[in-house]
């Protein structure tokens, strides 16, 4: 076969774009194997089309004799998105390792250099190393540190593998699946915590709200800030922002109702014990309702209104200034994506178990409060992959994708992960109620109001992003100084000390009375 390239003569019609695909290899036979069709091999060479100058002309897929061909020249398999076609089948170890190391972005790629911490955590946990004095003290600290850092590359691999797997299915369902894989780390961590002692319940409660706050304030703030630095003003569609913010507000109401119920009636018309029992029943009922709400949301997004979301996300892809580079990146096969997900989930599970086993040491010996551990430390590490993906999308001016990941992750935490941990705790005999600390509940409502106001105008800039991050830092500082339940005068200590204990309101009233009498004297 001749090595010279031959081209068909194309007639340009108004309104129809012509895209010229660059041959992948020097041999025409190579391009034929990848799906390109050339029937005029021995005929005269047709005039060469001019090289397209705009990026858009290099991006979309096109049909060549009935075959869909992606930007790399690969024939697109049925049911797979064009940008998800790898051109390969089954499993290739070298390609698998190389693609996973490159990951989805530069920031994600750098997290792969943290894999030694993952291995070190496993060695420290299972190997009998060091003296007995070292094992009793610093070993627990180093296991916590290495497993905490080692969670980052494992979570990043979950996110990347989920992203690759999502490209093998329709776009809207793929975004939901990708967000779900981002939440799998959180689900595993919650399941490990709830299977432990009852003392883990306050940490789970704090982690639930901390995950939502980390998404809404920290991650969204970084998206606005990073995107605002490179783009003067970014816009997003109201269908993404309005539905997300409204769902979060409704979810917050469902989450804090047991807290309001308990704090309104405990020690008054109901005893502490009875109020706690009733709030537990309300929490289980709220969990079922929130789970049904999540199913309705998934149906709304993936079935009844999927066309609207697909149009929004496809239009968002055209904003990506370097999408032509992303399309040229090698992709995992379906088998490789499944293997990557399995490997990542295995390491995430190990890191979650190590972290949970060292929580008691960190709280008891290192005096880190439950509030700071649950609100700040745990959520940041479990959502690391999701945060990197969303920030990279904001950098590419794909704010609808970024909002879908940020708000979608928050919605899944509130409407899926939280009900699951409540219902699983019910089955395991754990009193996993949604009776949060009053501080946590108020902070959640305020955060949702702040973010809702920023999303209202469907525009964002770096100032709004900086303000969101500042609010999150304020909450983190407050959480650092927030006392543990057994040392506080809040509801948790009141329920531990029994129904005859002094209530916070009575303490405040007595103190005010004493100060008034002292002033009168």
């Amino acid at each position: 076969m001749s090595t010279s390239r031959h081209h068909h003569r194309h007639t340009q019609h108004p309104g129809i774009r012509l895209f010229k695909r660059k041959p992948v290899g020097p041999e025409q036979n190579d391009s034929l194997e990848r799906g390109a069709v050339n029937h005029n091999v021995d005929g005269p060479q047709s005039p060469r089309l001019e090289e397209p100058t705009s990026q858009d002309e290099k991006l979309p897929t096109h049909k060549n004799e009935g075959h869909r061909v992606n930007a790399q020249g690969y024939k697109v398999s049925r049911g797979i998105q064009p940008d998800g076609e790898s051109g390969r089948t089954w499993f290739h170890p070298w390609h698998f390792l190389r693609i996973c190391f490159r990951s989805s972005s530069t920031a994600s790629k750098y997290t792969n250099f943290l894999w030694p911490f993952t291995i070190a955590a496993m060695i420290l946990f299972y190997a009998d190393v060091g003296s007995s004095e070292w094992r009793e003290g610093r070993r627990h600290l180093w296991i916590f540190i290495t497993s905490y850092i080692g969670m980052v590359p494992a979570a990043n691999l979950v996110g990347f593998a989920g992203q690759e797997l999502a490209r093998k299915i329709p776009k809207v369902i793929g975004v939901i699946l990708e967000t779900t894989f981002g939440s799998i780390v959180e689900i595993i961590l919650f399941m490990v915590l709830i299977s432990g002692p009852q003392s883990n319940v306050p940490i789970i409660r704090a982690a639930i709200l901390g995950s939502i706050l980390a998404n809404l304030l920290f991650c969204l703030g970084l998206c606005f800030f990073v995107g605002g630095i490179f783009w003067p003003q970014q816009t997003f569609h109201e269908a993404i922002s309005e539905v997300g913010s409204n769902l979060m507000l409704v979810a917050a109401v469902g989450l804090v109702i047991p807290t309001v119920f308990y704090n309104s009636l405990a020690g008054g018309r109901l005893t502490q014990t009875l109020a706690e029992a009733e709030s537990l029943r309300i929490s289980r009922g709220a969990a079922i309702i929130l789970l049904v709400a999540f199913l309705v949301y998934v149906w709304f997004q993936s079935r009844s209104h999927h066309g609207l979301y697909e149009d929004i996300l496809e239009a968002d892809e055209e904003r990506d200034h370097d999408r032509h580079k992303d399309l040229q990146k090698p992709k995992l096969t379906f088998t490789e994506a499944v293997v990557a997900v399995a490997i990542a989930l295995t390491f995430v599970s190990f890191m979650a178990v190590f972290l949970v086993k060292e929580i008691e040491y960190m709280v008891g010996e290192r005096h880190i409060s439950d509030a700071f551990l649950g609100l700040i430390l745990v959520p940041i590490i479990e959502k690391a992959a999701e945060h990197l993906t969303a920030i990279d999308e904001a950098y590419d001016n794909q704010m609808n994708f970024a909002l879908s990941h940020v708000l979608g992750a928050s919605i899944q935490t509130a409407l899926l992960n939280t009900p699951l941990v409540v219902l699983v705790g019910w089955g395991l005999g754990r009193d996993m109620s949604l009776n949060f600390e009053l501080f946590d509940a108020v902070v959640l409502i305020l955060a949702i109001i702040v973010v809702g106001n920023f999303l209202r105008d469907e525009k964002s800039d770096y100032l709004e992003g900086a303000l969101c991050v500042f609010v999150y830092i304020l909450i983190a500082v407050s959480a650092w100084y927030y006392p543990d339940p057994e040392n506080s005068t809040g509801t948790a200590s009141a329920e531990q000390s029994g129904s005859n204990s002094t209530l916070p309101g009575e303490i405040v009233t007595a103190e005010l009375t004493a100060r008034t009498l002292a002033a009168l004297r």
Side-chain angles (χ1 to χ4, degrees):
M1 182 178 291
S2 174
T3 58
S4 62
R5 302 186 186 94
H6 301 280
H7 303 272
H8 294 290
R9 185 183 302 275
H10 298 271
T11 303
Q12 187 170 1
H13 299 281
I16 300 179
R17 293 181 178 179
L18 293 177
F19 306 103
K20 178 184 176 184
R21 176 173 55 84
K22 293 182 179 181
V24 179
E27 297 291 329
Q28 186 179 16
N29 186 35
D30 189 30
S31 64
L32 286 172
E33 291 177 356
R34 296 183 177 181
V37 180
N38 192 344
H39 299 286
N40 196 19
V41 176
D42 298 324
Q45 186 172 2
S46 301
R48 186 182 298 271
L49 293 175
E50 293 184 0
E51 185 73 18
T53 56
S54 65
Q55 287 183 359
D56 291 341
E57 294 183 350
K58 299 179 183 178
L59 302 183
T61 59
H62 59 279
K63 292 186 177 181
N64 192 356
E65 297 295 332
H67 298 294
R68 297 180 68 199
V69 182
N70 67 1
Q72 293 177 293
Y74 298 135
K75 179 181 176 182
V76 179
S77 303
R78 184 178 180 181
I80 294 180
Q81 298 180 30
D83 56 350
E85 178 59 59
S86 64
R88 299 179 292 111
T89 57
W90 200 233
F91 187 85
H92 303 268
W94 170 245
H95 289 285
F96 174 78
L97 294 175
R98 182 168 57 91
I99 295 172
C100 288
F101 178 77
R102 289 182 178 179
S103 197
S104 57
S105 64
T106 303
S108 299
K109 177 182 177 180
Y110 289 152
T111 62
N112 289 320
F113 290 103
L114 300 177
W115 276 107
F117 287 93
T118 307
I119 306 302
M122 300 185 70
I123 294 175
L124 287 173
F125 187 84
Y126 288 108
D128 188 13
V129 295
S131 61
S132 59
E133 181 180 355
W134 186 85
R135 287 197 299 268
E136 292 296 328
R138 294 185 179 180
R139 178 173 177 267
H140 296 287
L141 176 62
W142 281 107
I143 290 176
F144 182 85
I145 293 175
T146 53
S147 57
Y148 187 84
I149 300 176
M151 179 72 82
V152 176
N156 177 68
L157 183 57
V158 171
F160 174 70
Q163 185 182 55
E164 289 290 310
L165 192 60
R167 288 172 173 169
K168 315 296 182 184
I169 57 180
K171 192 176 298 294
V172 175
I173 300 178
V175 172
I176 297 175
L177 179 65
E178 187 178 347
T179 307
T180 302
F181 273 114
S183 299
I184 281 182
V185 179
E186 183 176 80
I187 294 175
I188 293 175
L189 197 57
F190 285 174
M191 294 302 108
V192 174
L193 283 169
I194 196 63
S195 62
Q198 182 69 26
S199 59
N200 287 341
V201 170
I203 298 176
I204 299 176
R205 292 194 191 115
I208 289 171
L209 299 189
S211 177
I212 298 174
L213 294 176
N215 283 317
L216 292 182
L217 294 176
F218 184 69
C219 182
L220 185 63
L222 288 180
C223 288
F224 285 172
F225 185 79
V226 173
I229 290 177
F230 295 96
W231 306 89
Q233 191 174 64
Q234 295 179 294
T235 59
F236 39 84
H237 200 278
E238 62 178 355
I240 303 291
S241 59
E242 287 296 324
V243 172
S245 58
N246 291 340
L247 271 172
M248 281 310 308
L249 189 58
V250 172
V253 172
L255 291 177
V256 302
I257 279 180
T259 304
V260 175
F261 177 88
Y262 179 85
N263 285 274
S264 300
L265 300 177
R269 283 179 284 179
L270 296 178
T271 62
Q272 300 281 343
T273 304
L274 183 58
E276 179 64 27
E278 296 297 337
S279 66
L280 179 61
R281 295 189 183 96
I282 295 174
S283 300
R284 290 168 177 172
I288 296 174
I289 295 174
L290 292 177
L291 197 58
V292 173
F294 178 76
L295 296 177
V296 174
Y297 161 69
V298 171
W299 178 266
F300 175 85
Q301 194 175 43
S302 62
R303 299 295 297 177
S304 64
H305 289 68
H306 69 94
L308 171 63
Y309 283 95
E310 284 186 356
D311 292 340
I312 294 172
L313 297 180
E314 286 179 0
D316 218 38
E317 287 180 342
E318 300 299 327
R319 296 183 179 184
D320 189 358
H321 63 284
D322 60 352
R323 184 169 178 248
H324 60 289
K325 297 180 181 178
D326 293 335
L327 292 176
Q328 296 297 330
K329 291 181 179 179
K331 308 295 190 301
L332 293 177
T333 65
F334 181 82
T335 304
E336 291 171 345
V338 172
V339 171
V341 168
I343 294 174
L345 291 180
T346 301
F347 280 107
V348 164
S349 301
F350 276 111
M351 296 301 106
V353 171
F354 300 163
L355 279 175
V356 170
K357 286 186 176 296
E358 302 304 329
I359 283 178
E360 183 179 357
Y361 169 80
M362 298 301 295
V363 174
E365 300 296 330
R366 295 292 171 172
H367 308 293
I368 297 179
S369 66
D370 290 343
F372 187 80
L373 192 66
L375 278 176
I376 307 300
L377 289 183
V378 172
I380 286 181
I381 203 66
E382 71 186 15
K383 294 290 186 180
E386 195 75 20
H387 294 175
L388 290 175
T389 300
I391 294 170
D392 181 65
E393 289 166 344
Y395 168 77
D396 291 333
N397 199 27
Q398 295 179 292
M399 286 306 298
N400 289 311
F401 271 105
L403 279 180
S404 296
H405 282 108
V406 173
L407 297 178
S410 302
I411 291 170
Q412 286 201 348
T413 298
L415 300 183
L416 176 63
N417 301 353
T418 301
L420 280 180
V421 73
V422 172
L423 297 178
V424 170
W426 189 4
L428 295 177
R430 303 287 191 274
D431 294 338
M432 178 59 212
S433 69
L434 298 179
N435 181 21
F436 299 99
E437 291 286 327
L438 196 59
F439 167 78
D440 299 342
V442 173
V443 163
L444 174 65
I445 298 296
L446 292 177
I448 292 176
I449 293 175
V450 169
V451 172
N453 285 330
F454 287 158
L455 296 177
R456 185 176 300 172
D457 61 352
E458 302 169 20
K459 299 176 183 178
S460 65
D461 50 52
Y462 70 88
L463 175 61
E464 294 179 347
L467 294 177
C468 286
V469 175
F470 291 157
V471 172
Y472 186 76
I473 294 175
L474 288 174
I475 296 173
V477 173
S478 301
W480 175 261
Y481 291 103
Y482 197 84
D484 287 333
E486 62 269 20
N487 299 325
S488 67
T489 58
T491 58
S493 63
E495 73 183 61
Q496 287 183 0
S497 57
S499 59
N500 296 326
S501 60
T502 305
L503 297 177
E506 296 175 0
I507 295 176
V508 174
T509 303
E511 185 175 353
L512 290 176
T513 303
R515 290 183 180 181
T516 303
L517 292 175
L520 291 176
R521 292 174 185 173

